[in-house]
Amino acid sequence: MAKFEGEIAFLGLGAMGFGMATNLVTNSLPVTGFDVWAPTLERFTQAGGSSSPTPREAVKNATYVVFMVATASQILSALFDEETGAIETLKQGAVLILSSTGPPDHSPNVRKLLDERGRSDVFVVDAPVSGGTIRAANGTLTILASGTEEALSKGRPVLDAMAGPNLYIIPGGLGAGTKVKMVHQVLAGIHIVMASEAMAFAAKLGLDTGKAYQALKEGEGSSWMLENRGSRMVVQDEKIHSALGIITKDVGIITAASRKSTTNPGFPLFLSSTTEQVLATGISSGFDRDDDAKLTKVYLPATPTLVLDLASPATSSPPTFSPEEAAKLKLVESAMKAVHLVSAMEAMSLGKRVGLDTKQLFEIIKGAAGGSWMFKERIPALLSGEWSTGGRTVGEIVDDVIDALTQANALKFPLHLTSTALQVLQLAVLKGLGDETDLAVSKIWDAPGEEGVLFPRKA
Amino acid sequence: MAKFEGEIAFLGLGAMGFGMATNLVTNSLPVTGFDVWAPTLERFTQAGGSSSPTPREAVKNATYVVFMVATASQILSALFDEETGAIETLKQGAVLILSSTGPPDHSPNVRKLLDERGRSDVFVVDAPVSGGTIRAANGTLTILASGTEEALSKGRPVLDAMAGPNLYIIPGGLGAGTKVKMVHQVLAGIHIVMASEAMAFAAKLGLDTGKAYQALKEGEGSSWMLENRGSRMVVQDEKIHSALGIITKDVGIITAASRKSTTNPGFPLFLSSTTEQVLATGISSGFDRDDDAKLTKVYLPATPTLVLDLASPATSSPPTFSPEEAAKLKLVESAMKAVHLVSAMEAMSLGKRVGLDTKQLFEIIKGAAGGSWMFKERIPALLSGEWSTGGRTVGEIVDDVIDALTQANALKFPLHLTSTALQVLQLAVLKGLGDETDLAVSKIWDAPGEEGVLFPRKA
């Protein structure tokens, strides 16, 4: 860990921020916290931190200022509010670490506003985080840091204290870290909804959802999110691990960023956009403060507890299935594989489009919450240019997913994401983009004259 | 009307079939009815018809057999059931008029099965109907008839009696009529759901839905379905005009037909597929026997009566809006215009792909339940090849619909169809398919080497 000097101001002590700030205190670092919610501030002083009533007060002696408020616009008011903004008291050469999730142009925008105020002396690091409250409190969050070399070097001691071995330095300048997070959240968002779509479909098919979960998470349709969220669906679990409102906000940032047409050609994000609509249905149904694993209720409005009702307790031996059950399970797995294939291509194509290093992107995502069997298995060929059909043509994958949709249609069960993935796959077939599944699907996002440029074939 | 000779057997006396058969009786034609539901048969004899306990009995003396049972598979059992099927007693040279809605390959399949049974003497007319129960009873249903010239000529007297001036002879051989109906139902299905999406969005925005309806139905976002279904949304109306299950069945036939990949390259139907999922959500929510105008409940799960609650009674003067209300109304209209533009292109591209005469298709649809302002306004240029931007580039339309989605996202209101239309429009922008909106969007469905073949530009 780089040598640490100076004090830290920590703005925003929510579930994540409180853990992060307390971890810094535990590491014997001097931290002054600020939050609009007074009881939290009091808890923070009990944990050994100092507290301050405004950002302006909090940053007075700070060499480092960590921003972990809820939104990008809260960062702007913490910095620039006329009465309480930190700008007035910010020390010469202070390092601002922007960890709240915002749009990719947020940190360059903060840089610009500081420069306009004559504060080019201040350093800015774009440092979005992920990993949940436990890793926040452990100092092992994944942090995706970007900025100038000097800013990264100055901020390093605090970044190291918050991330430990999970700090990634993202090339590409200020904002690149947020772009990586955005691409990751494309996958995380889609896969959270897909975990619900799949488990609810299994229930609608009449499968034992406990056994189905055990089998699916070991198979080719698995994802980090299925494993994680699925485990909460098949046992009684009323704890709110991650509220539906959080992933809804993250997905909204992604879709908003993809919807700029006049200044920017725009970029269709088929699955992300469908994901947004399903999440909106969840919020509109009043589930915003529920855990996001409860999204199965959106798929089963008349029988909201069906996934849990049909779950037998987990056993240590692998589940067995009758031929009829195995056929049903294959329908669910086919749906998951198709969605995860298209989501992998949608995310990587977006990453390439926004100028990220796709090899690093793959390394970061493959073991993280956005990962899936499909992503890990198929992206290496996309990156190496050494294509193969992986034993399955697009047409064959289309056939499998059609079986799933046909059965769902007969049951009048909505397969929002699966249906969207099928349209993309069918478009790849119609356009004759080739039998090599991943490549064919990735070409959907090629711009004209750019065929094979996003992901070139090895000569 | 062509000269009429012989008796009629009428199989299937549901809401539509009863009206159709009774109309034939009213025209002094001899009709023997069959239905599995005994009380209906009794009502039919009270109305002056004869009744029969099985199809086999019913057709004994019939020169014409009209099939108006619920599904294509019920036609097969009415014909071929071992104990009760009509095949055994069918008169030499009888004319079968297949009016139940089935997949496009249904009537050629009946033809094949008859030939295999040595009944090449029997004539088959593919004759799907639309127009609702009132026009069924009036003898003014729209009928889309196809088959050999001889079959059409033989069947003509009965077709005329059922359709009056609304009989269309569809070129292309047996099954072409059902293809036209299928393309029409693509639009009808999408527009039914869009009417709910739009009116629920207006309510979510806090508009007076009565005034919004009055304005929208006169504007560029209007559709036959908005006008018809919308009128039932803004007044208390518990009558079931058309149950949700009916359009759900029709849309399912379309999406199933589009999902054949190995034998057929498949054809992505973006909006139809999204429509199917929204309808499935409605059915899963227990609304299958509700009128399909009640689909607004799917969009407003927490406030299912909001559209009606916010509706002021209609007045004779045109509604007026404050600038703020007008801005909200524009969001709703932008969403409708985008969806109706893409639906028009999705439907016409499908029509072209399945080999229909697109000029006739346009003539049939423009005044029918699948029509919309957008369809009527923009398809003529597509068909004439005399393109123009219509004053709006794709990019500009994309901008408008982004405004709508941004606001919906802020309200956490799902815009399923609007979001899907945006992906298609954004893909057209990304692919550089040109500024001429309709043409650009239609090119999405071009196969490779076929650019400009579906809808060629005039030299």
Side-chain angles (χ1 to χ4, degrees):
Chain A
M1 195 185 286
K3 187 163 168 289
F4 179 84
E5 279 175 27
E7 294 187 16
I8 302 170
F10 203 106
L11 312 183
L13 299 168
M16 292 283 284
F18 189 86
M20 291 161 75
T22 309
N23 165 62
L24 294 171
V25 170
T26 310
N27 279 281
S28 309
L29 303 178
V31 184
T32 301
F34 161 76
D35 198 278
V36 290
W37 182 237
T40 297
L41 268 185
E42 197 165 316
R43 266 178 68 217
F44 186 61
T45 44
Q46 283 159 12
S50 304
S51 81
S52 203
T54 65
R56 188 167 294 176
E57 281 289 308
V59 305
K60 269 195 314 197
N61 302 310
T63 305
Y64 310 93
V65 185
V66 183
F67 291 78
M68 195 59 205
V69 290
T71 62
S73 73
Q74 287 183 17
I75 292 187
L76 293 184
S77 58
L79 266 173
F80 300 116
D81 183 87
E82 284 196 17
E83 287 174 20
T84 61
I87 183 85
E88 297 294 333
T89 49
L90 214 48
K91 280 177 71 172
Q92 195 70 11
V95 183
L96 310 189
I97 297 174
L98 311 185
S99 290
S100 311
T101 300
D105 59 0
H106 168 64
S107 55
N109 183 45
V110 168
R111 171 78 275 162
K112 183 171 141 273
L113 293 171
L114 287 167
D115 291 344
E116 287 170 4
R117 299 284 289 260
R119 295 304 305 264
S120 300
D121 61 290
V122 171
F123 296 96
V124 178
V125 178
D126 175 39
V129 303
S130 69
T133 52
I134 293 169
R135 287 170 56 195
N138 285 344
T140 58
L141 279 177
T142 296
I143 299 188
L144 307 164
S146 62
T148 63
E149 264 189 51
E150 198 180 1
L152 288 166
S153 161
K154 298 257 183 203
R156 191 69 189 244
V158 174
L159 295 168
D160 279 333
M162 298 193 296
N166 299 321
L167 176 65
Y168 291 88
I169 303 296
I170 311 297
L174 202 59
T178 290
K179 288 179 184 171
V180 171
K181 170 144 189 194
M182 183 174 78
V183 173
H184 179 266
Q185 293 307 93
V186 164
L187 291 158
I190 295 167
H191 297 176
I192 282 176
V193 175
M194 191 59 209
S196 283
E197 183 163 309
M199 290 300 293
F201 186 30
K204 187 79 170 190
L205 289 165
L207 287 169
D208 175 329
T209 49
K211 284 168 60 182
Y213 169 67
Q214 290 296 324
L216 289 169
K217 77 186 173 71
E218 303 302 330
E220 298 185 3
S222 67
S223 67
W224 191 97
M225 284 296 180
L226 173 77
E227 186 154 356
N228 185 271
R229 301 316 203 247
S231 73
R232 302 174 194 163
M233 296 176 194
V234 295
V235 296
Q236 188 85 40
D237 182 353
E238 296 309 321
K239 184 161 184 272
I240 297 160
H241 302 268
S242 185
L244 192 62
I246 294 173
I247 188 65
T248 303
K249 188 192 78 170
D250 285 0
V251 170
I253 289 171
I254 296 158
T255 54
S258 78
R259 283 176 191 150
K260 292 179 177 169
S261 74
T262 314
T263 51
N264 173 316
F267 198 73
L269 292 176
F270 299 93
L271 288 173
S272 301
S273 199
T274 298
T275 294
E276 180 177 41
Q277 312 318 314
V278 178
L279 290 169
T281 303
I283 303 290
S284 294
S285 301
F287 307 153
D288 53 323
R289 287 170 178 278
D290 282 354
D291 189 73
D292 60 31
K294 292 284 191 286
L295 200 62
T296 49
K297 293 189 285 189
V298 166
Y299 285 91
L300 297 164
T303 52
T305 61
L306 192 65
V307 173
L308 182 60
D309 296 346
L310 294 180
S312 66
T315 58
S316 55
S317 50
T320 56
F321 298 94
S322 71
E324 194 202 348
E325 289 169 337
K328 289 178 177 178
L329 195 68
K330 180 169 185 290
L331 297 175
V332 180
E333 189 169 55
S334 295
M336 300 192 80
K337 285 168 68 174
V339 168
H340 295 162
L341 174 66
V342 176
S343 70
M345 297 305 141
E346 182 164 308
M348 292 305 284
S349 298
L350 175 64
K352 189 83 186 185
R353 175 73 52 182
V354 298
L356 294 173
D357 172 341
T358 48
K359 287 197 166 55
Q360 185 189 41
L361 198 54
F362 173 70
E363 292 301 324
I364 291 171
I365 291 173
K366 70 176 184 187
S372 68
W373 184 93
M374 214 30 117
F375 185 87
K376 275 176 259 193
E377 182 73 11
R378 308 304 291 266
I379 296 298
L382 196 75
L383 298 177
S384 69
E386 289 168 350
W387 298 101
S388 79
T389 61
R392 305 283 293 159
T393 64
V394 179
E396 288 168 330
I397 290 190
V398 165
D399 281 348
D400 285 348
V401 70
I402 284 173
D403 288 344
L405 272 158
T406 302
Q407 190 57 42
N409 183 20
L411 296 168
K412 301 305 167 217
F413 180 81
L415 284 178
H416 296 286
L417 287 171
T418 310
S419 155
T420 301
L422 179 62
Q423 304 318 305
V424 175
L425 291 164
Q426 284 198 312
L427 190 63
V429 175
L430 174 68
K431 293 292 187 186
L433 299 180
D435 278 345
E436 297 151 331
T437 309
D438 323 74
L439 179 61
V441 174
S442 78
K443 283 181 182 168
I444 298 277
W445 288 278
D446 277 334
E450 239 191 12
E451 289 77 9
V453 171
L454 277 186
F455 297 105
R457 172 187 290 279
K458 197 168 178 180
Chain B
M1 195 184 289
K3 184 163 171 286
F4 179 84
E5 279 174 28
E7 295 187 15
I8 303 170
F10 203 106
L11 311 183
L13 299 168
M16 292 281 284
F18 189 86
M20 291 162 75
T22 309
N23 166 61
L24 294 172
V25 170
T26 310
N27 279 281
S28 308
L29 303 178
V31 184
T32 302
F34 162 76
D35 199 279
V36 290
W37 181 236
T40 295
L41 268 186
E42 198 166 315
R43 267 178 66 217
F44 186 60
T45 45
Q46 285 161 10
S50 306
S51 81
S52 202
T54 65
R56 188 167 295 175
E57 281 288 309
V59 306
K60 269 196 314 198
N61 301 311
T63 305
Y64 309 92
V65 185
V66 184
F67 291 79
M68 196 58 206
V69 291
T71 62
S73 72
Q74 287 183 17
I75 292 188
L76 293 184
S77 59
L79 266 173
F80 300 114
D81 183 87
E82 284 197 16
E83 287 174 21
T84 61
I87 183 84
E88 297 294 333
T89 50
L90 215 48
K91 281 177 71 173
Q92 196 70 11
V95 184
L96 310 189
I97 296 174
L98 310 186
S99 290
S100 312
T101 300
D105 59 1
H106 169 63
S107 55
N109 183 44
V110 168
R111 173 76 277 163
K112 184 170 141 273
L113 293 171
L114 287 167
D115 291 345
E116 287 171 5
R117 299 283 288 259
R119 294 304 306 264
S120 300
D121 61 291
V122 171
F123 296 96
V124 179
V125 178
D126 175 38
V129 303
S130 68
T133 53
I134 293 169
R135 286 171 56 196
N138 285 344
T140 58
L141 279 177
T142 296
I143 299 190
L144 307 164
S146 62
T148 62
E149 265 189 49
E150 197 179 1
L152 287 166
S153 161
K154 297 258 182 202
R156 191 68 189 247
V158 175
L159 295 168
D160 279 333
M162 298 194 297
N166 299 320
L167 176 65
Y168 291 89
I169 303 297
I170 311 296
L174 202 59
T178 290
K179 287 179 185 171
V180 171
K181 170 143 190 196
M182 183 173 78
V183 173
H184 179 266
Q185 294 306 93
V186 164
L187 290 158
I190 294 167
H191 297 176
I192 283 176
V193 175
M194 191 59 209
S196 282
E197 184 163 310
M199 290 300 293
F201 187 29
K204 187 78 171 190
L205 289 165
L207 288 169
D208 175 329
T209 49
K211 285 169 59 181
Y213 169 67
Q214 290 295 325
L216 290 169
K217 77 187 173 73
E218 303 301 330
E220 298 186 3
S222 67
S223 67
W224 190 98
M225 284 296 180
L226 174 77
E227 185 154 356
N228 185 271
R229 301 316 202 246
S231 71
R232 304 174 193 164
M233 296 176 194
V234 295
V235 296
Q236 188 85 38
D237 182 354
E238 295 309 320
K239 184 161 182 276
I240 297 159
H241 302 268
S242 185
L244 192 62
I246 294 173
I247 189 65
T248 303
K249 187 193 78 169
D250 285 359
V251 171
I253 289 171
I254 296 158
T255 54
S258 78
R259 284 177 191 149
K260 293 180 178 169
S261 73
T262 314
T263 52
N264 173 316
F267 199 74
L269 292 175
F270 298 93
L271 288 173
S272 302
S273 200
T274 298
T275 295
E276 180 177 40
Q277 312 317 313
V278 179
L279 291 169
T281 302
I283 302 290
S284 294
S285 301
F287 307 152
D288 51 323
R289 286 169 179 278
D290 283 354
D291 188 73
D292 60 31
K294 293 283 191 288
L295 200 63
T296 49
K297 294 189 285 189
V298 166
Y299 284 91
L300 297 163
T303 52
T305 62
L306 192 65
V307 174
L308 181 60
D309 296 346
L310 293 180
S312 66
T315 58
S316 55
S317 50
T320 56
F321 298 94
S322 71
E324 194 201 349
E325 288 169 337
K328 288 178 178 178
L329 196 67
K330 180 169 185 289
L331 298 175
V332 181
E333 189 168 55
S334 296
M336 301 192 80
K337 285 170 67 175
V339 168
H340 295 162
L341 173 66
V342 176
S343 70
M345 298 304 141
E346 183 165 307
M348 293 304 284
S349 299
L350 176 64
K352 189 83 186 184
R353 176 72 53 182
V354 298
L356 294 173
D357 172 340
T358 47
K359 288 198 165 56
Q360 185 189 41
L361 199 54
F362 173 70
E363 292 302 323
I364 292 171
I365 292 174
K366 70 176 184 187
S372 69
W373 184 94
M374 213 31 114
F375 185 87
K376 276 176 259 195
E377 181 74 11
R378 309 304 290 267
I379 295 298
L382 196 74
L383 298 177
S384 69
E386 288 169 352
W387 296 103
S388 78
T389 61
R392 306 281 294 158
T393 65
V394 179
E396 287 167 332
I397 290 190
V398 165
D399 281 347
D400 285 347
V401 70
I402 284 173
D403 288 344
L405 271 159
T406 301
Q407 191 57 41
N409 183 20
L411 295 168
K412 302 304 167 215
F413 180 80
L415 285 177
H416 295 286
L417 287 170
T418 310
S419 154
T420 301
L422 179 63
Q423 304 319 304
V424 175
L425 290 164
Q426 285 198 312
L427 189 62
V429 175
L430 174 68
K431 293 293 187 186
L433 298 180
D435 278 344
E436 297 152 331
T437 310
D438 323 73
L439 180 61
V441 174
S442 78
K443 284 181 182 169
I444 298 277
W445 288 277
D446 277 334
E450 240 192 10
E451 289 77 10
V453 172
L454 276 186
F455 298 105
R457 172 186 289 281
K458 197 167 178 178

